[in-house]
Amino acid sequence: MNPADILRLGGIGLRTRPLRVVLSALGIAIGIAAMVAVVGISASSRAEVDRRLAALGTNLLTAGPGKSFFGDASHLPEEAEAMVARIGPVTAVSAVGRVPTAHVYRSDRIPAAESGGIAVLAARTTLPGTVGATVHAGTWLAAPTYPTVVLGSRAAGILGLTDGLGLNVWLGGHWFTVVGILDPVPLAPELDSAALIGWPVAADVLGFDGYPTTIYSRSRDDAVPDVAAVLAATANPAAPNEVQVSRPSDALAAKEATDTAYTGLLLGLGAVALLVGGVGVANTMVISVLERRPEIGLRRALGATRAHVRLQFLAESLLLAALGGLSGVLLGALVTATYAAWRDWPAVLPAWSLAGGLGATLVIGAIAGLYPAMRAARMSPTAALNTAA
């Protein structure tokens, strides 16, 4: 028998029991769909993180005050920002300074204790360009010497001012006019919950001490490690051990690592589902052999060898598994594409996951059908025909 004849016989065997075939293939399809979707969604998530990092840049470093040797809070020198700007590979520098005595409220009638957790930060005019912030509505601090404020995205929501341009807020005992609202800032999430005012007005009106609490610096991509190595000593030469240096893009990269860990767990669950589907295929084939003993006896009596019978039932098992595997791959690809579109991610489906899914189904089908095929081949023609009688 040539391969085409074997496949045709296997197909005939499946067509005689369509409902059982569909239910058995469904078990395989669910397992493969789960595995393909997990790999696809994970790959799409990584592609989104890479896309965001490429757009935001990985060359942003921050420096902030840490603790002194005795555990006391320290602060950066007033000239720290200017000193960081002198580092050769640094291309942009900006800073914010916390005004701890000031709080912001929707009106002057709100109790002082209900600050909403909104920080008041003195900000340089260069801040948006350095951290990659964009203004959702209004403008940035075009006149930093006037009592104007720009709200972070979350701060605007807390104050109920998502469309509150031109309105006044009670900030540090003075009225400030809202001139802008920021979009979320992925590389500087602390700005999302802040009210940002000009550096000069913070000093003149609110008594700001002038010490920066966070310095943001951009440098050439190839020089980021070198800048990070000297940033603490440059920002505070007298006490470099009291400076905390971080790379905000590392937080997004850590998210990718976390997603990878969950991917391994979900792949394991998909493998369990695939194993259950394989058991279903094996059960279907064993029952098929028992039900078709008269057919086996007749074929053997007409000259079919044990190898022919074995190949016929093995082909049925492989076709059944391939049907489930192909359906699972298509379903997994559909789930991946739908989820990626819903999250506005690039849809990525690694070719190896598709090939691996189909390959796994064929292996499962071969293993599941091996015993039933061998059992069918061992039947003697006489015993099988006597069963029919």
Side-chain angles (χ1 to χ4, degrees):
M1 294 178 64
N2 57 48
D5 293 332
I6 295 174
L7 290 176
R8 187 166 56 252
L9 280 174
I12 292 173
L14 295 181
R15 288 197 299 269
T16 58
R17 303 175 309 282
L19 181 58
R20 188 182 300 171
V21 167
V22 169
L23 293 177
S24 298
L26 184 61
I28 292 285
I30 290 174
I32 292 297
M35 298 180 73
V36 170
V38 165
V39 172
I41 291 174
S42 177
S44 299
S45 176
R46 287 195 294 270
E48 170 65 10
V49 171
D50 293 339
R51 183 178 68 84
R52 291 177 62 190
L53 287 175
L56 298 170
T58 58
N59 60 346
L60 179 68
L61 295 172
T62 65
K67 297 290 185 180
S68 68
F69 180 78
F70 298 101
D72 300 324
S74 61
H75 62 77
L76 297 175
E78 291 184 41
E79 61 274 12
E81 181 184 356
M83 292 190 294
V84 170
R86 296 191 186 102
I87 301 175
V90 170
T91 58
V93 178
S94 192
V96 296
R98 190 180 184 96
V99 186
T101 57
H103 300 284
V104 58
Y105 305 92
R106 181 64 182 84
S107 76
D108 56 351
R109 303 296 181 181
I110 298 176
E114 299 179 10
S115 64
I118 300 174
V120 176
L121 301 178
R124 298 294 192 188
T125 56
T126 56
L127 183 64
T130 303
V131 301
T134 56
V135 179
H136 175 73
T139 62
W140 180 240
L141 298 168
T145 59
Y146 288 87
T148 57
V149 60
V150 172
L151 300 175
S153 58
R154 185 170 177 272
I158 293 174
L159 294 173
L161 295 173
T162 52
D163 296 314
L165 296 179
L167 298 179
N168 293 329
V169 293
W170 187 247
L171 193 156
H174 301 271
W175 289 106
F176 279 68
T177 302
V178 178
V179 295
I181 297 173
L182 296 178
D183 287 313
V185 188
L187 292 183
E190 63 275 10
L191 302 181
D192 295 341
S193 300
L196 302 153
I197 61 177
W199 202 281
V201 75
D204 296 340
V205 177
L206 303 179
F208 173 50
D209 57 16
Y211 294 129
T213 50
T214 304
I215 295 176
Y216 303 94
S217 67
R218 292 273 187 180
S219 57
R220 297 198 315 265
D221 291 336
D222 60 338
V224 172
D226 296 331
V227 173
V230 301
L231 188 57
T234 305
N236 191 355
N241 59 299
E242 296 179 6
V243 180
Q244 293 182 334
V245 176
S246 63
R247 190 177 184 180
S249 60
D250 289 344
L252 293 177
K255 176 183 179 298
E256 180 175 332
T258 303
D259 290 344
T260 301
Y262 279 112
T263 297
L265 174 62
L266 295 175
L267 279 176
L269 296 177
V272 171
L274 181 59
L275 179 61
V276 172
V279 172
V281 171
N283 181 62
T284 297
M285 295 309 301
V286 168
I287 295 175
S288 177
V289 169
L290 294 176
E291 291 178 344
R292 295 164 63 188
R293 283 180 293 184
E295 174 193 337
I296 296 170
L298 181 60
R299 290 199 62 224
R300 290 294 310 279
L302 293 176
T305 64
R306 290 185 175 182
H308 292 157
V309 175
R310 185 164 52 245
L311 287 174
Q312 175 189 349
F313 282 91
L314 192 58
E316 286 189 24
S317 179
L318 288 172
L319 286 173
L320 179 56
L323 178 63
L326 183 60
S327 302
V329 166
L330 295 176
L331 180 59
L334 179 61
V335 170
T336 299
T338 302
Y339 187 81
W342 175 60
R343 295 294 300 271
D344 197 23
W345 291 351
V348 178
L349 199 61
W352 65 263
S353 66
L354 304 180
L358 291 175
T361 58
L362 294 179
V363 171
I364 290 292
I367 296 174
L370 187 60
Y371 170 73
M374 294 179 64
R375 179 172 180 174
R378 287 198 301 266
M379 286 186 180
S380 66
T382 305
L385 288 171
N386 285 338
T387 303

